Amino acid sequence: MVDQDRKIKRVVIKIGSSSLTSMHGEISRRKLENLANQIVALKDAGYETAVVSSGAVAAGYRKLGCIQRPTSLPEKQAAASIGQGLLMESYSELFLSHGYVASQILITRSDFANENRYNNMKNTLNVLLERGIIPIINENDTVTVDRLRFGDNDTLSAKVAALIEADQLIILSDIDGLYDANPNDNPDAKLLDKVHEITPEIEAAAGGSGSAVGTGGMKSKISAVKIAMASGIDSFLGKADSKDILVKAVSGTAKGTYFNQDPEGFNLDNNQQWIAFHSGPEGEVIIRPESREAIIEDRKNILPSDILQVKGRFGEGSVVRVMDENGEEIGLGRINYSSGKLEETLIEEECERKEAIEQDTFVCSRDFALPVSV
């Protein structure tokens, strides 16, 4: 039974390949129907749900004539072109039988990197969710090249959750949560039911890839959770075939790991999320040693007089890396000067007239311990 009084109302559900496919690599009607029924239960209780679904390649490769999951990019993309249609057809049929409409959204990494497309995507998803539609989201495997890939749908699901300001991210897989050690190697490994901070020890405990039909292991799931936590979104990691896993996850009663950031921690607003996770930095500014503490500790705006050197060519409004003299990245920020104008300003006596980077468009790497532009 779904607790309708809980504050969680917008949920992103990530479903891995192994959670949808049979042992033969084809879509399992039983698995899909079970999860669809749980999503319907959430919809009936008033939740807005978006689904980030893997399974296109796994669903399509046998119909392509491959005996095993293909390894070459062209065959994977061809299998995805078949599997995406099959997957969407199944989702649409199941949701329509309960009176809900599903929509398909295929995304590439460049859709997030381009700020206009990022905002258009956000607006489209908000309209769909507000109208009661269930978006089915996947990476556009058919056309995506390696350098533009997310690499796994764990990362994509976290970015989607941040994009639409979800209340909760639920990651379903063939593992039932985060352990303090690899349970396959250590029989004494313990399931962590609550995590408030992703420490180096937790990252070290994250293992490799799990199922043969999936691409993401625990490491990618932890990276996804870090994005969600930095965006102020609670996450849950659990096993897809656990009874009523989705219904229990939103109610806080599921077996698995709940990730809830300390309320005192920093959260990124939507603009800072784009800067941190999606932008492609176009250059670097190196700050003076005496300015470092004021920028990091005191949250001061970065003035032109704080900058020692400019590297690369960039325009006004571009995102740049902020570095110290030792080559350590301090963060990312949106620069208020072009590289040429900034270089001119640095040699002028009057260099305090406009901030180079304001704190509300700056993301400090230390606060989140995140790889920027994931």
Side-chain angles (χ1 to χ4, degrees):
M1 186 72 178
V2 179
D3 183 354
Q4 299 190 36
D5 294 327
R6 285 180 63 83
K7 293 181 180 179
I8 296 173
K9 284 298 180 183
R10 179 170 284 192
V11 180
V12 173
I13 301 162
K14 185 268 177 176
I15 304 174
S17 298
S18 62
S19 306
L20 289 175
T21 53
S22 70
M23 61 182 294
H24 302 296
E26 298 176 325
I27 293 176
S28 166
R29 182 74 178 188
R30 176 185 59 82
K31 288 183 177 182
L32 188 61
E33 192 167 333
N34 173 45
L35 291 171
N37 287 340
Q38 292 184 61
I39 293 169
V40 167
L42 296 182
K43 291 292 295 176
D44 287 346
Y47 289 77
E48 295 176 344
T49 60
V51 179
V52 176
S53 179
S54 302
V57 175
Y61 76 84
R62 286 188 176 273
K63 288 183 170 52
L64 185 64
C66 299
I67 297 174
Q68 296 180 327
R69 184 184 175 92
T71 56
S72 72
L73 182 60
E75 285 186 320
K76 285 182 179 179
Q77 292 179 322
S81 72
I82 299 170
Q84 282 169 354
L86 294 172
L87 197 59
M88 194 62 209
E89 182 181 9
S90 297
Y91 274 122
S92 293
E93 180 186 337
L94 287 169
F95 288 134
L96 277 173
S97 69
H98 293 278
Y100 292 109
V101 175
S103 69
Q104 183 178 45
I105 298 181
L106 300 176
I107 298 173
T108 65
R109 187 167 178 165
S110 60
D111 293 322
F112 280 92
N114 181 289
E115 196 166 9
N116 286 333
R117 282 151 67 185
Y118 174 84
N119 288 323
N120 287 340
M121 187 165 50
K122 176 184 175 73
N123 293 337
T124 298
L125 281 165
N126 279 330
V127 168
L128 291 170
L129 290 168
E130 289 163 5
R131 298 289 179 91
I133 310 301
I134 305 172
I136 309 297
I137 303 159
N138 196 1
E139 183 162 15
N140 195 351
D141 294 310
T142 303
V143 300
T144 307
V145 295
D146 282 344
R147 66 185 176 85
L148 294 178
R149 289 182 58 80
F150 293 100
D152 59 79
N153 272 351
D154 297 319
T155 300
L156 175 58
S157 68
K159 290 192 171 193
V160 168
L163 176 72
I164 63 173
E165 300 177 52
D167 299 300
Q168 186 181 35
L169 169 64
I170 299 174
I171 299 177
L172 299 183
S173 187
D174 53 2
I175 48 181
D176 54 7
L178 175 66
Y179 285 80
D180 60 0
N182 189 336
N184 295 322
D185 302 331
N186 187 346
D188 296 323
K190 295 180 180 178
L191 178 67
L192 303 176
D193 58 351
K194 293 185 186 300
V195 173
H196 300 293
E197 181 184 6
I198 305 299
T199 63
E201 291 76 18
I202 285 177
E203 291 193 275
S209 190
S211 165
V213 297
T215 57
M218 183 58 72
K219 188 174 181 180
S220 72
K221 291 170 177 54
I222 294 302
S223 294
V225 167
K226 287 169 71 175
I227 293 172
M229 290 178 76
S231 306
I233 299 168
D234 293 338
S235 301
F236 171 80
L237 172 60
K239 199 169 186 178
D241 62 5
S242 298
K243 183 176 174 57
D244 297 328
I245 185 68
L246 290 178
V247 172
K248 290 178 180 177
V250 298
S251 301
T253 60
K255 178 184 177 182
T257 304
Y258 286 89
F259 299 87
N260 310 102
Q261 187 179 13
D262 188 325
E264 300 296 321
F266 293 98
N267 289 332
L268 301 176
D269 62 29
N270 204 252
N271 184 41
Q272 290 171 321
Q273 288 168 26
W274 183 82
I275 292 171
F277 306 132
H278 315 304
S279 68
E282 296 181 32
E284 296 180 2
V285 295
I286 299 172
I287 62 167
R288 300 179 184 277
E290 60 268 26
S291 301
R292 190 179 193 279
E293 184 175 354
I295 294 167
I296 296 176
E297 302 293 343
D298 301 332
R299 308 287 164 178
K300 299 292 187 183
N301 293 333
I302 301 175
L303 303 173
S305 57
D306 294 317
I307 296 173
L308 187 65
Q309 186 180 356
V310 177
K311 288 188 176 182
R313 312 312 297 173
F314 48 82
E316 180 181 343
S318 299
V319 174
V320 298
R321 296 187 188 277
V322 180
M323 314 290 289
D324 67 13
E325 274 193 308
N326 299 320
E328 180 184 347
E329 182 180 284
I330 294 173
L332 292 178
R334 193 187 295 275
I335 195 83
N336 291 327
Y337 293 81
S338 67
S339 53
K341 189 66 177 175
L342 186 56
E343 287 170 335
E344 290 176 13
T345 303
L346 295 184
I347 61 175
E348 294 177 3
E349 291 184 4
E350 296 290 331
C351 61
E352 302 290 338
R353 60 176 179 266
K354 183 171 73 171
E355 291 85 357
I357 299 175
E358 299 166 60
Q359 273 292 327
D360 60 359
T361 60
F362 174 73
V363 180
C364 183
S365 299
R366 190 195 66 174
D367 289 340
F368 306 100
L370 288 169
V372 291
S373 301
V374 177

